[in-house]
Amino acid sequence: MQSSISLSISSSSLAPLGSNSATDFAHFAPINLRFCGLRREALGFSSLKHSDSKRVHISAGSSSRRKVFAALSGNGSPSKFDYDLLIIGAGVGGHGAALHAVEKGLKTAIVEGDVVGGTCVNRGCVPSKALLAVSGRMRELQNEHHLKALGLQVSAAGYDRQGVADHANNLASKIRNNLTNSMKALGVDILTGVGTILGPQKVQIGSSDKIVTAKDIIIATGSVPFVPKGIEVDGKTVITSDHALKLEFVPEWIAIVGSGYIGLEFSDVYTALGSEVTFIEALDQLMPGFDPEIGKLAQRVLINPRKIDYHTGVFASKITPAKDGKPVTIELIDAKTKKLKDTLEVDAALIATGRAPFTNGLGLENINVATQRGFIPVDERMRVIDANGKMVPHVYCIGDANGKMMLAHAASAQGISVVEQVTGRDHVLNHLSIPAACFTHPEISMVGLTEPQAREKAQKEGFEVSVAKTSFKANTKALAENEGEGLAKLIYRPDNGEILGVHIFGLHAADLIHEASNAIALGTRIQDIKLAVHAHPTLSEVLDELFKSAKVEAHVPSAVSEPIAV
């Protein structure tokens, strides 16, 4: 049974928070306040499981709080480990796991050999969104037809390259500091150095003799850009996304190898800033990871009208950086015959061929774990599997390092799931409920299965698949913004109303997808979500109309509790 905690908090313990009336605050602030969006643990409060007879004195200081947790863990006996949970890697996944672990009362440390925030914050989704924010503004200011339709007149738009680069770098620094400060405020120990697993529940920090023990270990080391053989990266004219985010120069003509999320987003940035782009895609169609219908529409809007051409069905077998006045040269071979097909000369080349797990040097051999193409094998609960197919006790792996779903928010969700398990609640994450987004202009988002995937599954399992669609052209808010180009697509089972997948292309698609992803996560059926009310006029009505247009054969109640009349 969990009951409320009686707290006695001195004004001196709150003084470091900068309050001028700490005594009054301590007397009147209820424990369940969110404090302007901060987790209450950031101010030294936390929920503890204990008997009704216990009263606990907790100061705002993190060391005092950890002592309380240590005293109450293990039925009152001191822990034989330095930490309850040790996380190797302080990216978004590790950070999410650490915060949830503290909320659950675990003494937690996180090991980082580079910088807090990992790829997403420092070399990925955060700085790229800063660049995409610029490209979005540039597109608006350059679109005379769009502005004229709104009755606006704007003189020619320009940009300062260094100013744009500084915006991306400053955003990354701000978010990195936020993550660091949030962990410190919650009492998470940040251990600097590369973490190497020496054996069960034992990790060496850096090259020193410092060894820490932990009851449970989470590996969250992320990934690095994947560069195929034959491509020479010099960081100047042949670059990866790590280099491109620094925006050290804007080439007149840049080839982008790969047309997935990374390639598409950078094509949006470069064309908005004046570059010509050439896509090089090994498969027969652009955007191979997207639902084909959405990909076809996106190509018509994002590629065809812009200064972009493309080569499909070819590999970039050799790329040589520019030097001695010569341009970057790219040799293209046919993906099937492997014969030389063409040679391109461009000002720069961006390698956007995906990412590879960063798992070398972790000491996996010390726990008999063999990687698979670099990925650490795990089961559905993120428990690490050894070379004999057996579970390694107390070791988990989340995020890009396990390869299940290489998205920052998926890593965080996996980390939270692991913490739930180590604190006594079994939890299996439904990866089909995790959304993904491409932040082009307009955006693309998706959750669940594509239509081909759904039909393949239906054929194997013996059920029917139906598809519903709605257009942004029928949405009042989209038309008010003069942004009617877009489509939402629902893939579902007509026999029971199960949502199999939702795909959106259009204004703010990345924000709209979460209604669908939450419905999949909660098991909500179409017949129930049809009854939800959406504010008018909003873009959310695109989803409202989408669900209402679906035809479900019979009402099958979903696992949702009965509503209460108020």
Side-chain angles (χ1 to χ4, degrees), residues 341-391:
K341 192 171 183 179
D342 201 354
T343 299
L344 301 180
E345 293 184 346
V346 295
D347 299 309
L350 168 63
I351 313 306
T353 47
R355 301 188 63 83
F358 183 67
T359 53
N360 292 331
L362 278 173
L364 297 175
E365 65 278 4
N366 296 327
I367 52 174
N368 192 33
V369 171
T371 60
Q372 299 173 359
R373 295 182 297 111
F375 295 105
I376 297 175
V378 297
D379 67 2
E380 72 279 3
R381 290 173 174 80
M382 309 304 130
R383 298 177 295 195
V384 172
I385 306 299
D386 69 13
N388 299 320
K390 296 181 179 179
M391 184 184 73

Side-chain angles (χ1 to χ4, degrees), residues 127 129-134 161-172:
K129 298 310 159 291
L131 297 183
L132 285 160
V134 173
R161 182 200 59 78
Q162 188 59 54
V164 175
D166 289 344
H167 172 54
N169 183 62
N170 292 340
L171 177 62

Side-chain angles (χ1 to χ4, degrees), residues 213-458:
T213 60
K215 184 176 183 296
D216 293 290
I217 297 170
I218 295 178
I219 300 170
T221 48
S223 62
V224 294
F226 171 70
V227 179
K229 294 180 180 180
I231 297 177
E232 180 185 347
V233 174
D234 66 350
K236 296 179 180 179
T237 58
V238 180
I239 59 179
T240 67
S241 56
D242 286 1
H243 308 106
L245 289 167
K246 298 176 183 178
L247 202 70
E248 293 182 343
F249 82 113
V250 178
E252 290 187 20
W253 183 10
I254 184 169
I256 299 179
V257 184
S259 63
Y261 297 98
I262 299 172
L264 277 176
E265 289 185 353
F266 275 106
S267 76
D268 196 286
V269 171
Y270 281 120
T271 53
L273 298 182
S275 300
E276 294 185 21
V277 170
T278 296
F279 271 119
I280 299 171
E281 173 57 55
L283 298 179
D284 291 332
Q285 64 180 45
L286 294 174
M287 297 176 277
F290 298 88
D291 181 87
E293 186 173 10
I294 294 293
K296 185 177 180 181
L297 175 60
Q299 181 174 333
R300 182 169 64 82
V301 176
L302 299 177
I303 294 178
N304 294 349
R306 300 178 180 177
K307 293 186 293 182
I308 299 175
D309 66 350
Y310 52 89
H311 299 265
T312 57
V314 294
F315 287 116
S317 61
K318 184 178 181 180
I319 299 182
T320 305
K323 54 186 174 182
D324 300 328
K326 297 180 180 179
V328 174
T329 58
I330 305 174
E331 294 182 5
L332 302 179
I333 62 171
D334 187 279
K336 295 176 181 177
T337 65
K338 302 299 186 291
K339 293 181 179 180
L340 183 65
K341 192 171 183 179
D342 201 354
T343 299
L344 301 180
E345 293 184 346
V346 295
D347 299 309
L350 168 63
I351 313 306
T353 47
R355 301 188 63 83
F358 183 67
T359 53
N360 292 331
L362 278 173
L364 297 175
E365 65 278 4
N366 296 327
I367 52 174
N368 192 33
V369 171
T371 60
Q372 299 173 359
R373 295 182 297 111
F375 295 105
I376 297 175
V378 297
D379 67 2
E380 72 279 3
R381 290 173 174 80
M382 309 304 130
R383 298 177 295 195
V384 172
I385 306 299
D386 69 13
N388 299 320
K390 296 181 179 179
M391 184 184 73
V392 180
H394 303 289
V395 181
Y396 302 81
C397 179
I398 65 173
D400 289 5
N402 70 31
K404 278 186 172 291
M405 198 172 196
M406 300 179 79
L407 298 169
H409 50 280
S412 182
Q414 291 172 0
I416 291 170
S417 178
V418 168
V419 171
E420 287 290 299
Q421 294 168 55
V422 301
T423 53
R425 177 176 178 258
D426 187 35
H427 186 269
V428 177
L429 180 64
N430 177 11
H431 285 82
L432 287 176
S433 71
I434 298 177
C438 184
F439 294 86
T440 47
H441 297 89
E443 296 172 342
I444 311 171
S445 64
M446 64 219 69
V447 65
L449 304 175
T450 64
E451 185 176 345
Q453 290 171 340
R455 294 199 180 281
E456 181 180 357
K457 178 181 174 68

Side-chain angles (χ1 to χ4, degrees), residues 23-38:
T23 305
D24 293 338
F25 184 86
H27 286 153
F28 296 109
I31 193 70
N32 62 349
L33 285 181
R34 280 295 181 182
F35 300 109
C36 300
L38 289 175

